[in-house]
Amino acid sequence: MKKYNFNAGPCVLPKEAIESTIEAIRDFDGTGIGLLEISHRTPGWERVMKETRDLWRELLNIPEEYEILFLGGGASTQFFHVPANMLNKKAAYLQTGVWAKKAAKEAKNFGETVVVASSEDKNYTYIPKNYTIPTDADYFHITTNNTIYGTEIKYDMDCPINLIADMSSDIMSRPVDVKKYAMIYGGAQKNVGPAGVTFVIVRKDLLGKITDRQYMNPIPTMVDYRTHAAEEERNISMFNTPPVFAIFVMHETLKWVKKMGGVEAMNKINTKKAETLYNEIDRNSMFVGTAEKEDRSIMNVCFVMADKYKDKEAAFMDFAKERGMVGIKGHRSVGGFRASIYNACSQEDVEALVKCMQDFEAANK
Ligand SMILES: *Cc1c(COP(=O)(O)O)cnc(C)c1O
């Protein structure tokens, strides 16, 4: 039976990227040696690193004054790398979910940390709107897509200070005006690859500015972004052994994004998928969406059974499972259901879920 993969991360990847990776694991670049066994200093690999970086630059139109780094440790490691590199005295955070909260917690070790607004009062079902960003802070940190709650900041905000964004779960889903950000980072495993590689896009002139801080000054070598910045073409994010496998899959995934027409095209496709699913949630009397309508994410769609049908939750789960739906259980902190409809999830996949919801309604109402 065909499976429809709505996992939140790691998650569905383009078929083509998987196929070409399988081939490379057998024989990388015609060398007769597999991807997992080559040296990361072979010229073929240096080319993959360069192409991957150039694909990022091209797809997101990243200006030359930004470094593009591929690191280990996941987005969670960036929660402390960000303040280690950027926080001299004070940082400001927007608390739109537990990932954002975890990020702010790490900053507290480095200096004064202000949470300017939080939507914790309503279990993060909306994005706070009216708040003041302190202009004396070193940066303002946001989480553009809140994977667990299905809310999203779908535009590039104007910010009076350096804006830093965790874009783990909506990167490459829409065009981004990179110039509005001091830094963008995220784990690859939601839209651009498998787990194991973390992308960091950072404006070069912001690095090396930690002067008067007591803690972690100087910055440990591996934590300092300057360590990973490429001084020469053959040294892109290769201070130490890069996560070769994860970067290769990311390379193949980005090639697919480019082939699909780039981020503008992805955004059109994603918007249509999200509309299709939200329309059904709003129409179907058995389900209700949990996120505030204007803040609904186009990547993670969260919904629960309507009050009248609360006792049908397990039944719908089984019904969906029988039809090949995978990964639609909501995060334990929210309950209900969550369909993650990342780039590699197709309109047909979404329509299969919609059909499943319609059939369940017809059978149970
Ligand atoms: C998944 C996720 C994280 C955590 O990423 P790891 O790579 O597992 O550390 C952080 N932020 C957001 C928004 C996420 O969706």
Side-chain angles (χ1 to χ4, degrees):
M1 178 180 45
K2 177 172 162 53
K3 298 283 185 186
Y4 300 91
N5 185 355
F6 297 103
N7 275 320
C11 54
V12 61
L13 287 169
K15 279 249 152 7
E16 290 170 43
I18 302 290
E19 292 303 328
S20 52
T21 302
I22 291 170
E23 185 47 42
I25 288 173
R26 294 206 176 93
D27 179 3
F28 172 73
D29 198 31
T31 55
I33 296 176
L35 170 68
L36 307 179
E37 302 155 293
I38 53 159
S39 160
H40 61 292
R41 301 288 173 192
T42 58
W45 181 256
E46 284 167 6
R47 200 197 68 238
V48 172
M49 289 300 276
K50 184 174 174 309
E51 279 177 16
T52 309
R53 183 204 55 190
D54 292 347
L55 278 163
W56 274 89
R57 235 188 243 302
E58 182 184 345
L59 289 166
L60 286 182
N61 204 5
I62 303 171
E64 281 300 325
E65 57 269 29
Y66 289 76
E67 285 288 349
I68 304 168
L69 312 175
F70 307 124
L71 310 176
S76 302
T77 297
Q78 292 309 312
F79 293 168
F80 86 88
H81 283 195
V82 166
N85 282 275
M86 303 285 194
L87 201 167
N88 245 322
K89 285 211 170 78
K90 180 172 171 179
Y93 279 75
L94 185 63
Q95 191 177 308
T96 51
V98 297
W99 294 121
K101 192 176 184 176
K102 284 179 177 165
K105 176 171 175 266
E106 296 300 314
K108 286 177 190 147
N109 296 323
F110 293 83
E112 186 190 346
T113 302
V114 196
V115 173
V116 300
S118 166
S119 47
E120 193 172 11
D121 57 341
K122 289 189 181 162
N123 199 27
Y124 302 117
T125 48
Y126 69 103
I127 304 283
K129 302 285 158 18
N130 299 309
Y131 50 81
T132 312
I133 301 165
T135 50
D136 61 342
D138 294 307
Y139 63 82
F140 179 48
H141 180 283
I142 58 171
T143 310
T144 48
N145 186 63
N146 300 284
T147 325
I148 296 173
Y149 316 90
T151 63
E152 186 177 12
I153 302 169
K154 292 183 278 269
Y155 59 95
D156 304 306
M157 66 171 72
D158 292 312
C159 181
I161 58 176
N162 291 324
L163 181 62
I164 298 183
D166 172 357
M167 290 198 187
S168 291
S169 53
D170 61 349
I171 192 78
M172 294 287 172
S173 70
R174 64 171 173 92
V176 171
D177 185 358
V178 174
K179 290 189 297 302
K180 287 200 168 169
Y181 299 83
M183 177 176 161
I184 295 169
Y185 71 93
Q189 69 274 20
K190 286 150 191 160
N191 235 359
V192 287
V197 60
T198 311
F199 57 88
V200 169
I201 301 162
V202 60
R203 223 174 69 211
K204 295 175 198 177
D205 64 290
L206 298 169
L207 303 179
K209 296 280 157 59
I210 298 305
T211 50
D212 39 3
R213 193 177 67 209
Q214 299 294 311
Y215 177 55
M216 255 200 211
N217 184 22
I219 309 167
T221 308
M222 276 299 284
V223 178
D224 192 332
Y225 293 135
R226 288 172 298 177
T227 303
H228 307 281
E231 266 157 31
E232 38 183 329
E233 280 297 283
R234 55 178 301 277
N235 224 8
I236 299 164
S237 290
M238 292 237 271
F239 172 76
N240 70 327
T241 320
V244 169
F245 169 75
I247 292 172
F248 187 85
V249 184
M250 183 162 79
H251 175 261
E252 298 305 298
T253 305
L254 296 181
K255 271 181 13 197
W256 174 83
V257 172
K258 184 174 169 180
K259 204 186 89 186
M260 293 293 284
V263 288
E264 272 93 5
M266 287 314 327
N267 190 37
K268 277 206 190 92
I269 298 167
N270 289 329
T271 304
K272 174 144 189 250
K273 281 175 346 202
E275 261 172 35
T276 304
L277 189 47
Y278 284 122
N279 283 345
E280 176 58 19
I281 291 168
D282 293 342
R283 184 210 62 79
N284 194 313
S285 59
M286 299 193 79
F287 302 98
V288 241
T290 50
E292 202 60 54
K293 276 190 182 166
E294 61 172 348
D295 299 324
R296 282 174 163 179
S297 165
I298 62 165
M299 293 278 97
N300 311 95
V301 178
C302 296
F303 54 104
V304 293
M305 301 305 308
D307 283 342
K308 206 173 140 193
Y309 301 103
K310 278 276 178 261
D311 59 328
K312 298 269 188 224
E313 186 170 315
F316 178 67
M317 212 49 145
D318 290 342
F319 189 83
K321 199 175 160 193
E322 273 164 29
R323 288 162 173 243
M325 306 294 147
V326 175
I328 61 161
K329 194 169 169 50
H331 190 271
R332 61 188 180 281
S333 62
V334 178
F337 312 100
R338 169 178 56 178
S340 297
I341 52 174
Y342 298 119
N343 281 355
C345 165
S346 69
Q347 177 70 24
E348 292 69 44
D349 295 350
V350 170
E351 277 163 18
L353 178 57
V354 164
K355 178 82 170 52
C356 174
M357 293 163 78
Q358 289 168 348
D359 291 350
F360 186 73
E361 184 191 39
N364 288 276
K365 212 178 135 181

